[in-house]
């Protein structure tokens, strides 16, 4: 199998300042997706406003349309070999039902994956030592390439389409303390939600020769981490000794249970691995040579 394409893109952006403490950036990107042979236009705009004369309180935000790159595997999908799904009893010899021939089929009118996203944030510096920020991000994805198994009168098929969708929401709150070269500490808390169709084409046809493709579902994605806390810091105890540390705690990522036939048992991604914790400590000693 093989797939070839030529992607061409043009991007233009400008910036103007309606006031001394307000600037706006706007632009657009026009690109050609060679895999699905489509021309896409993606506008976006962003702004930043200084809410006080000192510049210590800043409001930022933006909104735009973004197109992703169609995976090259989409262009080669129609040339994949036909597979045969044959099942056997526990002894590995006795057949269970008749073998089903599964052929790859590409739906007409494939689209380039796209997403609509917006974000807003506030940065506030209380003093020369303390700073605070919070950011909100929301993204809605459409046109994502997914594969779905189906049974037809002629047998079975693995259908590739642009029917996939996803959504992502994120809230980040952070605080930063600095005291010149003596101390620097930053703490971040992040709440997020990532959901989407699980049968994206790259989840199966990326590095596996013969993947087992189950039924599609719209559920938490494999990278969905509802809660995360990250703290890092450094402290110059003496002019020679520097102490360093970082800790990262987050919720466990979701997974699906399967049986011996690799069929999903229960709803997909309804279970989670244990919470993850990592602690790193270090020191540095500066010696005279």
């Amino acid at each position: 199998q093989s797939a070839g394409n030529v992607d061409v893109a043009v991007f233009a952006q400008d910036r103007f300042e309606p006031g001394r403490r307000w600037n706006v950036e706007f632009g657009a990107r026009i690109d050609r997706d060679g895999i699905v042979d489509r021309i896409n236009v993606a506008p976006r705009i962003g702004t930043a406003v200084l809410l006080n004369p000192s510049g210590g309180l800043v409001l930022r935000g933006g909104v735009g349309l973004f197109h992703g790159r169609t995976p090259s595997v989409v262009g080669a999908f129609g040339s994949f070999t036909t597979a045969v799904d044959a099942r056997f009893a526990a002894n590995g010899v006795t057949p269970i039902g008749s073998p089903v021939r599964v052929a790859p089929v590409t739906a007409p009118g494939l689209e380039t994956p796209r997403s609509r996203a917006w974000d807003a944030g506030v940065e506030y510096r209380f003093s020369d030592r303390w700073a605070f920020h919070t950011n909100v991000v929301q993204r809605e994805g459409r046109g994502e390439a997914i594969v779905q198994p189906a049974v037809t009168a002629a047998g079975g098929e693995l259908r590739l389409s642009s029917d996939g969708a996803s959504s992502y929401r994120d809230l980040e709150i952070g605080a930063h303390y600095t005291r010149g070269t003596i101390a620097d500490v930053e703490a971040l808390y992040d709440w997020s939600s990532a959901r989407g169709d699980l049968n994206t084409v790259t989840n199966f046809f990326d590095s596996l020769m013969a993947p087992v493709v189950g039924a599609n579902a719209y559920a938490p994605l494999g990278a969905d981490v509802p809660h995360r806390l990250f703290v890092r810091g450094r402290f110059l105890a003496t002019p020679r000794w520097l102490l360093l540390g970082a800790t990262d705690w987050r919720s466990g990522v979701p997974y699906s249970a399967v049986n011996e036939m690799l069929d999903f048992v229960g709803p997909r991604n309804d279970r989670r691995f244990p919470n993850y914790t990592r602690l790193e400590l270090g020191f540095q000693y500066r010696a005279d040579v």
Side-chain angles (χ1 to χ4, degrees), residues 86-97 261:
R87 304 200 172 198
F88 299 88
N91 58 17
V93 177
T94 306
I96 300 178
M261 297 291 186

Side-chain angles (χ1 to χ4, degrees), residues 16-154:
F16 72 97
E17 298 182 358
R20 292 192 307 168
R21 303 205 305 249
W22 181 21
N23 66 74
V24 179
E25 294 184 355
F26 60 94
R29 178 184 175 95
I30 302 175
D31 62 338
R32 175 185 180 272
D33 186 341
I35 293 294
V36 298
D37 193 19
R38 293 176 67 96
I39 303 295
N40 303 299
V41 180
R44 70 274 318 254
I45 186 172
T47 185
V49 182
L50 302 180
L51 299 179
N52 59 359
S54 66
L57 182 59
V58 183
L59 174 64
R60 304 180 188 274
V63 62
L65 177 66
F66 303 88
H67 288 89
R69 294 177 64 92
T70 301
S72 298
V73 68
V74 171
F77 188 82
S79 63
F80 287 175
T81 57
T82 299
V84 176
D85 184 0
R87 304 200 172 198
F88 299 88
N91 58 17
V93 177
T94 306
I96 300 178
S98 301
V100 178
R101 186 172 298 274
V102 182
V105 176
T106 301
L110 293 182
E111 303 176 4
T112 303
R114 63 193 182 278
S115 61
R116 296 187 301 270
W118 65 267
D119 71 284
V122 176
E123 300 177 12
Y124 183 32
R125 180 169 292 278
F126 295 90
S127 64
D128 58 349
R129 294 187 180 183
W130 285 96
F132 168 84
H133 79 269
T134 181
N135 297 293
V136 179
V137 177
Q138 179 167 332
R139 183 192 66 83
E140 300 292 335
R142 296 294 184 270
E144 300 174 1
I146 61 173
V147 290
Q148 302 185 73
V151 178
T152 65

